[in-house]
Amino acid sequence: MDIGTIAAIGVLLAAVVLFVTERFRLDVTAALLLLALAWLGLVTPAQAFSGFASNAVVAMASVMVLGYGIDRAGLMHRVSQFLIARGGRSERRLVVTASAVVGMVSSVMQNIGAAVLFLPALLRVARSARIPPSRLLMPAGFAVILGGTVTMVGSTPLILLNDIMLQGGYEPFGLFAPAPVGLALLLTWTVLLALAGRHLLPRPAAGKVPRPQEDLVEGWDLPAEVCYCRIPETSPLVGMTREEAGFIAGYTLHLLALSEEGDVLYAPWRYTHFLAGQELALLGKGEDFLRCVHDYGLEVSRGEGQIVLGLSQASAGFAEVVVRPNAGAVGRTLRELTLRKNLGVEPLLLVSSDEGPFHEFSDRPLKSGDIIVVHGRWERLRTLAEGTGFVLATPLEEAGLRESRAPAAAACFAGALLLTLTGAPIGLSFFTGAVGMVLSGVVSVGEAYQAIEWQTIVLIGGLIPLGIAMETSGATGVIAAGLTALLAEHSLFLVLLGFSLLTAFLSLFLSNAAATVLLVPPALALAGESGLDPTGLALLIGVSASNSFLLPTNQVNALLMGPGGYRTRDYLRVGAVLTPLVALVSTSLVYLLYF
């Protein structure tokens, strides 16, 4: 080995140590590796910074913008409702259900596309079910990666594999050739989650600052679940006004909205009349809701359509507002201000000086400094804050849904996916979709920049020069040749397992596509010399290139690292179990099917 090869392997070992020990933040470690490679002369300055203009980095930044646009347009709300309906409020059922669904979808589309498509829905499911995102995103992300091994179009390594086979004079694989292995891997992960997910998955970091909405709900002991019911023709509620119904005084229930034939009225005014067929959205305790349903002969409903979308956490929430000194609201009552009629927000409780909280305060004159907790759609809460009477004391977490932009958002995302299927580079395809999101008004330019997780971009861009150095210095070839020579003297199963584990290791630091390109040719040569079936060994390498669970260097893992609040040790903990398990299952199935 020459000095360049030794130096490249040394940098690789240093990368492993720094990632495992977490001596520095992951993006700082990637930047240090980039500098080391450049100053050691293992890559040119142009190569050192080429990662930031690479297909992978451009694709990563673009899908973050696409994901933000999909979220803002409300496209994935129905998906989150489906997952909650199937998984209920049970963490284990939600984790298993979500992982199975995203894994199967990932089998027919690129991994990163499936991840960005489901990320908004998964975050909403976590919020609605009140489980930490860290308990849901990693299982779903790993399912996305494994789902990509079910067909030959689910992951980049398997797409490349057919090209390599054709170049070597071999027959290409059929679309579902890896299905037995891929489905077994996805099933293995799902069963592992069901049996040991509770103990295996990372817990949220201790001391993590709660979200403002969680602070409000816990601090004021607010009910956070909205219940839905319909008014039948026989209900005594028909013809009554909201004030006459006495929801607040009699049941401590707040009417957030009512829906009639698809039209939704938020925070209905006190003189709004109830009609048969209307659907009501009531905020309060479950037992009070059921008592009200019984007394008025209402029908409990699941809540569907626009009323649910309009009250989802993407569209509405709680806020504290403070009465300004010398404002026009001082000395007036909420009845006089007609807060519901004019602004469409629902007052929940009032704290005045050292008195309160009051739940029924419509006729109580307001004082300077009074705190009112309200519920409303985000845009209406902003309108309330922009007036001269109140100060908004709660940071609003959401930008609000832009439902009118849903068709444009869907077209941009679908167009980007279709471009990838035509053979266009994934970075160019997704960047085209991201620019389309901005031009069509789904997201603003400022929101597009804010949607990008720059720590992830630096991590991926900084690692790409390491792959270049490993290839140009010959270090990867030395490692592959050494393992091939070592395994040639052992049993067939160990040869297969060795190639599987080597592929998994290299895919952590090179791209999984590069690992496939580097290892398949020598594997085919070894198979030819040994009289083995080359297709089985090649397929095993293509599948094993997706066995990237130990570090957040895979594109899917990197995308979910920020939203999930993960550290390297979280991936090491789960990956230490899943990586050898995936290697054993895939090797065993390939051995049985092809040898």
Side-chain angles (χ1 to χ4, degrees):
M1 287 190 292
D2 60 25
I3 189 66
T5 302
I6 295 173
I9 293 176
V11 174
L12 175 63
L13 294 176
V16 173
V17 172
L18 289 174
F19 278 126
V20 171
T21 61
E22 293 188 280
R23 177 66 180 82
F24 306 104
R25 253 177 45 162
L26 296 183
D27 52 341
V28 175
T29 296
L32 291 174
L33 294 174
L34 182 154
L35 291 173
L37 293 169
W39 287 112
L40 288 172
L42 296 173
V43 295
T44 66
Q47 289 174 325
F49 296 105
S50 63
F52 296 104
S54 67
N55 191 49
V57 166
V58 173
M60 180 67 68
S62 300
V63 297
M64 291 175 180
V65 177
L66 285 169
Y68 183 87
I70 290 170
D71 187 27
R72 291 277 63 83
L75 288 175
M76 296 306 290
H77 177 78
R78 293 190 182 277
V79 175
S80 62
Q81 291 296 115
F82 169 81
L83 292 176
I84 291 174
R86 295 295 181 272
R89 300 288 170 177
S90 164
E91 178 182 309
R92 183 170 70 173
R93 287 179 59 191
L94 277 173
V95 167
V96 171
T97 301
S99 299
V101 170
V102 300
M104 293 309 300
V105 172
S106 178
S107 67
V108 293
M109 64 189 302
Q110 284 283 321
N111 288 171
I112 193 66
V116 72
L117 179 65
F118 279 94
L119 177 57
L122 293 173
L123 289 174
R124 298 208 185 291
V125 168
R127 291 179 195 171
S128 297
R130 295 189 180 183
I131 63 175
S134 60
R135 305 284 287 178
L136 188 59
L137 294 187
M138 182 180 286
F142 285 0
V144 165
I145 296 172
L146 293 174
T149 64
V150 174
T151 69
M152 294 298 294
V153 298
S155 66
T156 302
L158 291 175
I159 294 173
L160 286 174
L161 184 59
N162 266 345
D163 292 337
I164 299 172
M165 297 297 286
L166 286 171
Q167 291 171 5
Y170 297 96
E171 286 293 322
F173 292 98
L175 177 63
F176 295 103
V181 179
L183 289 172
L185 293 177
L186 187 57
L187 179 62
T188 298
W189 176 231
T190 304
V191 171
L192 182 63
L193 287 174
L195 297 178
R198 180 179 179 183
H199 306 287
L200 192 62
L201 297 175
R203 297 282 179 184
K208 189 175 180 180
V209 178
R211 292 166 57 93
Q213 288 294 296
E214 294 171 351
D215 276 342
L216 275 176
V217 171
E218 294 174 6
W220 293 109
D221 192 25
L222 300 172
E225 185 173 358
V226 180
C227 302
Y228 298 89
C229 60
R230 289 191 183 278
I231 305 176
E233 293 182 357
T234 56
S235 171
L237 198 61
V238 175
M240 297 176 65
T241 65
R242 172 177 180 159
E243 188 169 45
E244 291 170 342
F247 288 141
I248 298 176
Y251 305 96
T252 320
L253 294 175
H254 288 271
L255 179 61
L256 300 184
L258 64 81
S259 172
E260 182 180 9
E261 297 180 352
D263 295 326
V264 181
L265 176 63
Y266 298 100
W269 190 34
R270 66 177 65 249
Y271 296 123
T272 300
H273 284 81
F274 294 115
L275 303 174
Q278 289 178 336
E279 184 173 29
L280 310 182
L282 295 164
L283 179 71
K285 295 181 179 180
E287 56 268 28
D288 294 330
F289 170 73
L290 293 177
R291 188 161 52 89
C292 178
V293 166
H294 176 268
D295 292 350
Y296 282 113
L298 304 175
E299 299 173 351
V300 177
S301 62
R302 293 177 57 183
E304 298 177 355
Q306 284 298 115
I307 190 170
V308 178
L309 184 61
L311 294 176
S312 69
Q313 292 184 12
S315 304
F318 301 98
E320 289 175 318
V321 294
V322 180
V323 179
R324 292 178 183 268
N326 303 317
V330 174
R332 302 178 68 187
T333 66
L334 288 183
R335 187 186 297 273
E336 294 170 333
L337 292 173
T338 58
L339 204 61
R340 296 189 184 103
K341 182 180 180 181
N342 293 331
L343 292 172
V345 297
E346 177 68 18
L348 302 178
L349 57 86
L350 167 73
V351 176
S352 180
S353 300
D354 295 328
E355 299 179 277
F358 300 101
H359 293 276
E360 177 58 71
F361 51 94
S362 297
D363 297 311
R364 185 182 182 91
L366 298 178
K367 302 176 184 177
S368 173
D370 280 359
I371 299 173
I372 306 174
V373 179
V374 299
H375 183 281
R377 287 171 61 85
W378 299 121
E379 67 270 16
R380 299 190 181 187
L381 293 176
R382 286 189 176 84
T383 301
L384 176 64
E386 290 167 358
T388 58
F390 302 94
V391 176
L392 189 65
T394 305
L396 300 185
E397 301 177 18
E398 303 281 356
L401 294 183
R402 295 162 189 158
E403 301 163 39
S404 63
R405 299 295 182 184
C412 291
F413 185 74
L417 289 179
L418 288 174
L419 287 173
T420 64
L421 295 178
T422 65
I426 188 172
L428 179 60
S429 301
F430 283 130
F431 185 70
T432 302
V435 172
M437 288 275 189
V438 175
L439 294 179
S440 61
V442 178
V443 300
S444 67
V445 175
E447 288 172 332
Y449 283 112
Q450 292 173 6
I452 298 173
E453 292 274 352
W454 293 104
Q455 179 180 350
T456 302
I457 297 301
V458 174
L459 170 64
I460 300 298
L463 281 179
I464 287 176
L466 178 58
I468 296 173
M470 292 290 291
E471 293 180 46
T472 57
S473 68
T476 305
V478 169
I479 294 173
L483 181 67
T484 301
L486 178 66
L487 293 175
E489 302 175 1
H490 291 80
S491 67
L492 175 59
F493 185 83
L494 287 180
V495 170
L496 296 175
L497 184 60
F499 269 105
S500 177
L501 291 173
L502 176 62
T503 306
F505 175 76
L506 290 179
S507 68
L508 293 173
F509 301 98
L510 310 178
S511 68
N512 50 16
T516 304
V517 171
L518 287 170
L519 290 179
V520 169
L524 292 175
L526 175 64
E529 295 171 3
S530 307
L532 303 175
D533 184 348
T535 57
L537 186 53
L539 183 62
L540 178 62
I541 292 173
V543 170
S544 299
S546 295
N547 191 359
S548 303
F549 308 110
L550 281 166
L551 294 173
T553 50
N554 179 281
Q555 285 186 344
V556 173
N557 293 340
L559 176 69
L560 302 181
M561 182 177 62
Y566 298 121
R567 304 287 299 276
T568 300
R569 61 173 172 265
D570 297 323
Y571 288 96
L572 286 171
R573 174 187 172 89
V574 184
V577 176
L578 187 57
T579 296
L581 189 59
V582 167
L584 283 172
V585 172
S586 57
T587 299
S588 299
L589 283 172
V590 168
Y591 181 79
L592 292 173
L593 293 172
Y594 290 90
F595 301 97

